[in-house]
Amino acid sequence: MPTAPITRAARRRRMMRRRRSAAVLISVVIIAALTVGVFGFVRSLGERPHPTTSSAPEAGAALSAPQPTPAADGPSFDTAAAADQALAVLGEYSDAARSVEDALYQATVTLRGATTAAEADAAMAATQQAVEAVKADAEAYRAGLIAASAGTNTQPTGGDVAAQMAYLHQYVFDYNSAEWGDYNPYGGDCTNFASQGLIARGWHTDGTWYSDGAMWTASKPWIATAPMAAYFDKLGFTYATEADLDRVRVGDVGVFSWGETQAGLDHTMTVSKVEYVPDGPPKVYFISHNYDGEYRELTNALYVEHQNSTVRIYQIP
């Protein structure tokens, strides 16, 4: 069948469709090109090194001002903590001579003030030597107490002071009356309590100082202040007074005479803490029954709670 001739109008419509298709194609190409160009530019910005992070030296960097010389190295350890730890030895070895304790204190002052590693190391070595000197002096003093009472003392020497104090702190407020009774209603439980502490330390009962545990089975030296002091005297123990507290240590036993009462001994307490004081006598604290407390300070007990009172602090070998 013969093909119909293409009219002029048909040719015009075909040409217009071709032009529109070409325009659309050109628009797509242009948009794609622009997109690639923009994103490529943005990406190139992200990949460029920031001026402040560049490792390359800038022009003229050699002319910049020189950096200051670093300061000398400081201490390699906490000097204050080390000084505190060294001074703590005076709590356990408070019976060292005052001059030796003062030497340790001065060593810790130097240690605290150290600003360089070399100064701190030298001060730490001196402090450690001072600590050992305190321990050696106190131990020598204790050995002297043992030797001085060797002919009269029938109780074990040394003993477990930590066990003594642990017992006293455990029962200072919650009395162990089921085992040892409670004498507060009959004049006071203070000496009975101190005696219990000595048993915990490692002492043993004898024909003079004893208790079977039940009420009224104890001897006078076990439950009464003056007889306990007489027992200590018989054992050959020495004692310190409020005028000279240098050799007092935790675990010693104090007997008190209150100034407002009649002549005689009134109260018994055990030393629970001794604090070194740089410019004065040590602070001594006691644990006791009656006036129940763990840290009853000596001068307050002598002159505030009571008037013009005195104390003998028996040094337990």
Side-chain angles (χ1 to χ4, degrees):
M1 183 177 182
T3 303
I6 301 173
T7 65
R8 181 179 296 177
R11 286 197 295 269
R12 185 179 297 112
R13 287 194 296 271
R14 182 179 295 177
M15 186 177 295
M16 290 298 294
R17 286 197 297 270
R18 290 176 178 175
R19 287 177 180 175
R20 285 196 296 270
S21 298
V24 169
L25 178 61
I26 292 171
S27 298
V28 169
V29 170
I30 292 173
I31 292 172
L34 289 174
T35 301
V36 171
V38 170
F39 278 97
F41 176 72
V42 171
R43 181 180 179 186
S44 70
L45 287 179
E47 293 174 347
R48 292 178 183 177
H50 195 277
T52 60
T53 61
S54 175
S55 59
E58 296 180 357
L63 301 178
S64 61
Q67 296 298 316
T69 302
D73 292 339
S76 60
F77 58 92
D78 188 335
T79 56
D84 290 341
Q85 184 177 2
L87 282 178
V89 75
L90 296 179
E92 184 179 354
Y93 294 91
S94 60
D95 47 338
R98 176 71 192 210
S99 59
V100 183
E101 294 176 340
D102 288 343
L104 172 56
Y105 175 75
Q106 290 302 323
T108 62
V109 170
T110 302
L111 178 58
R112 292 180 195 278
T115 58
T116 68
E119 289 177 351
D121 291 343
M124 188 65 208
T127 299
Q128 290 173 337
Q129 290 179 351
V131 166
E132 294 306 315
V134 165
K135 292 180 179 179
D137 187 86
E139 288 169 354
Y141 182 74
R142 297 172 191 180
L145 292 177
I146 293 172
S149 61
T152 51
N153 183 23
T154 57
Q155 292 291 352
T157 57
D160 192 341
V161 177
Q164 175 189 14
M165 300 315 300
Y167 178 92
L168 294 176
H169 283 290
Q170 180 179 357
Y171 294 108
V172 62
F173 301 117
D174 184 14
Y175 286 26
N176 190 14
S177 54
E179 185 173 0
W180 297 108
D182 177 3
Y183 292 88
N184 271 333
Y186 309 100
D189 195 62
C190 59
T191 309
N192 180 39
F193 186 51
S195 293
Q196 294 169 41
L198 292 172
I199 287 290
R201 179 171 175 156
W203 279 29
H204 54 69
T205 58
D206 57 30
T208 304
W209 181 78
Y210 61 86
S211 173
D212 292 334
M215 289 293 295
W216 307 118
T217 63
S219 65
K220 289 291 185 66
W222 182 283
I223 60 173
T225 300
M228 171 175 270
Y231 178 66
F232 288 162
D233 291 335
K234 181 181 178 182
L235 295 178
F237 294 174
T238 59
Y239 60 80
T241 69
E242 66 276 10
D244 183 12
L245 302 171
D246 181 40
R247 297 290 193 172
V248 172
R249 70 165 174 145
V250 170
D252 288 347
V253 177
V255 294
F256 292 77
S257 177
W258 304 136
E260 71 274 12
T261 64
Q262 298 178 353
L265 297 172
D266 304 290
H267 189 53
T268 307
M269 297 195 285
T270 304
V271 176
S272 58
K273 182 171 65 172
V274 181
E275 289 182 347
Y276 171 83
V277 178
D279 300 320
K283 285 189 175 182
V284 181
Y285 301 82
F286 294 84
I287 186 169
S288 71
H289 276 178
N290 291 29
Y291 189 94
D292 299 346
E294 295 177 283
Y295 300 104
R296 192 175 180 185
E297 200 271 320
L298 174 62
T299 57
N300 188 70
L302 292 177
Y303 308 119
V304 177
E305 298 171 7
H306 302 276
Q307 294 81 45
N308 300 318
S309 303
T310 60
V311 64
R312 301 180 203 166
I313 304 176
Y314 281 92
Q315 299 167 313
I316 308 300

